[in-house]
């Protein structure tokens, strides 16, 4: 969308961001809408058609994290539209069940035919003209797994497409040695965690683990959005120049009220945010003795 849109979103000037989106839509060639020659994540879908009292097809063409982030707008959409069909990866369906929304599995080889009004899920904020605060977390729900008290969930790797979001697991070894931790990564680890075999490759099961954690410490990946959408206290490790949805000048998040941001001071160096997390866990940031995680307000 460009730097102007990114800054407007970070500053929570959503009206300005939506105006930029309108100008971009007006300049597009309608023949390129949902262009099958492009990868799904590069397609545009919504042509500006109002969603009120229409049969709306919501397509999930981006990553799992994007889908979870914007799922907050499904219930408001269902309240306005005549009908809503959500075309989403089947592995997300158990988490995305919403009254008034029909779920359909997204098959990249055979997507659903166009509806009366097609919208990509990340376009819902502009289509509804709703800010994150208009649909606050928690908006997803999962029964918590029976974990020991004060368990901290750890996720240190993101998708292969952005290795700059990965934290070397050895950097988390001191934290895992001092606190009761759980891996939220789908691979085995040598870290001292409750589940060295890793997290199951099953999103409902992962959601239950996240819901059972007293705190989630994660890099910018799907786990961050899952924890945020569930309303769990989340400490988010960010690279020096983070994604558009995180304001590098702030410690809090407009998208998730219980999320706290820990950004790299210099590109590639995780030592500063990890030291800040260690200090916050021990209560050194406010000069008080260390307390159990569950005994303090987090987020």
């Amino acid at each position: 969308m460009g730097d102007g849109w990114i800054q407007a979103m970070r500053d929570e000037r959503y009206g300005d961001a939506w105006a930029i989106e309108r100008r971009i839509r007006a300049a597009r060639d309608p023949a390129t809408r949902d262009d099958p020659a492009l990868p799904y994540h590069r397609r545009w879908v919504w042509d500006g058609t109002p969603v009120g009292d229409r049969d709306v097809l919501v397509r999930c063409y981006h990553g799992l994290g994007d889908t979870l982030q914007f799922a907050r707008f499904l219930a408001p959409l269902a309240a306005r539209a005549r009908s809503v069909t959500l075309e989403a990866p089947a592995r997300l369906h158990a988490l995305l069940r919403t009254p008034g929304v029909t779920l359909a599995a997204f098959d990249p080889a055979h997507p659903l035919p166009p509806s009366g009004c097609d919208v990509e899920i990340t376009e819902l904020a502009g289509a509804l003209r709703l800010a994150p605060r208009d649909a606050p977390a928690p908006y997803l729900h999962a029964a918590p797994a029976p974990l020991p008290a004060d368990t901290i969930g750890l996720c240190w790797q993101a998708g292969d497409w952005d290795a700059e979001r990965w934290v070397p697991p050895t950097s988390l070894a001191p934290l895992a040695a001092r606190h009761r931790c759980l891996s939220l990564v789908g691979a085995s680890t040598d870290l001292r965690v409750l589940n060295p075999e890793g997290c199951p490759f099953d999103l409902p099961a992962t959601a239950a683990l996240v819901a059972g954690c007293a705190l989630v410490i994660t890099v910018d990946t799907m786990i961050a959005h899952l924890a945020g959408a569930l309303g769990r206290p989340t400490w988010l490790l960010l690279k020096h120049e983070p994604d558009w949805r995180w304001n590098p000048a702030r410690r809090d998040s407009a998208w998730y009220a219980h999320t706290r941001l820990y950004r790299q001071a210099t590109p590639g160096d995780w030592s500063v945010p990890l030291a800040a997390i260690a200090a916050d866990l021990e209560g050194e940031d406010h000069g008080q003795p260390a307390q159990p995680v569950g005994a303090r307000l987090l987020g």
Side-chain angles (χ1 to χ4, degrees):
M1 286 288 184
D3 292 343
W5 180 86
I6 290 173
Q7 196 57 52
M9 292 296 288
R10 286 177 170 175
D11 292 344
E12 300 180 47
R13 293 183 285 108
Y14 300 112
D16 293 343
W18 296 331
I20 292 171
E21 293 172 13
R22 285 196 299 273
R23 291 196 294 272
I24 291 173
R25 280 197 304 274
R28 285 169 172 160
D29 179 357
T32 65
R33 178 173 176 266
D34 205 3
D35 186 354
L38 294 175
Y40 279 106
H41 71 279
R42 293 183 56 195
R43 300 185 192 186
W44 65 276
V45 178
W46 186 50
D47 61 3
T49 300
V51 297
D53 199 31
R54 291 180 180 270
D55 297 316
V56 180
L57 172 59
V58 180
R59 300 187 186 270
C60 299
Y61 282 176
H62 290 80
L64 299 180
D66 295 297
T67 297
L68 294 174
Q69 179 184 0
F70 285 88
R72 69 183 67 225
F73 298 117
L74 291 173
L77 174 64
R80 299 189 194 183
R82 181 165 53 221
S83 70
V84 177
T85 299
L86 177 66
E87 184 184 36
R91 57 192 298 234
L92 283 176
H93 283 195
L95 295 175
L96 296 178
R97 293 192 180 101
T98 304
V101 175
T102 299
L103 293 168
F106 174 42
D107 179 356
H110 303 285
L112 294 178
S115 182
C117 178
D118 285 17
V119 183
E120 209 283 325
I121 195 166
T122 61
E123 298 172 313
L124 283 180
L128 295 166
R129 298 191 65 81
L130 293 178
R133 61 180 171 270
D134 298 319
Y139 51 88
L140 300 183
H141 304 279
L147 299 177
D150 300 329
T151 297
I152 299 174
L154 299 178
C155 179
W156 55 87
Q157 69 181 47
D160 293 337
W161 53 275
D162 189 356
E164 291 182 355
R165 300 188 189 187
W166 290 45
V167 174
T170 53
S171 300
L172 298 172
L175 189 156
R178 186 167 175 79
H179 301 273
R180 181 185 290 113
C181 291
L182 175 90
S183 171
L184 295 172
V185 174
S188 61
T189 179
D190 293 328
L191 288 175
R192 183 181 173 185
V193 293
L194 298 174
N195 57 336
E197 73 283 358
C199 185
F201 193 70
D202 177 273
L203 280 177
T206 300
L209 292 175
V210 169
C213 288
L215 169 68
V216 172
I217 298 175
T218 178
V219 294
D220 183 9
T221 190
M222 183 271 294
I223 291 294
H225 295 287
L226 178 59
L230 291 168
R232 301 309 302 146
T234 305
W235 292 1
L236 179 57
L237 288 156
L238 294 174
K239 65 181 185 179
H240 184 259
E241 182 52 42
D243 199 35
W244 63 267
R245 63 206 86 203
W246 317 116
N247 188 335
R250 296 178 59 166
R251 291 291 305 281
D252 62 343
S253 167
W255 293 92
Y256 306 111
H258 295 88
T259 292
R260 186 186 297 179
L261 309 182
Y262 293 81
R263 173 178 167 253
Q264 289 178 340
T266 56
D269 182 6
W270 291 109
S271 63
V272 171
L274 287 173
I277 281 177
D280 286 354
L281 282 172
E282 299 304 324
E284 294 176 7
D285 58 324
H286 45 65
Q288 297 180 1
Q291 304 174 57
V293 172
R296 291 181 278 120
L297 176 65
L298 303 172

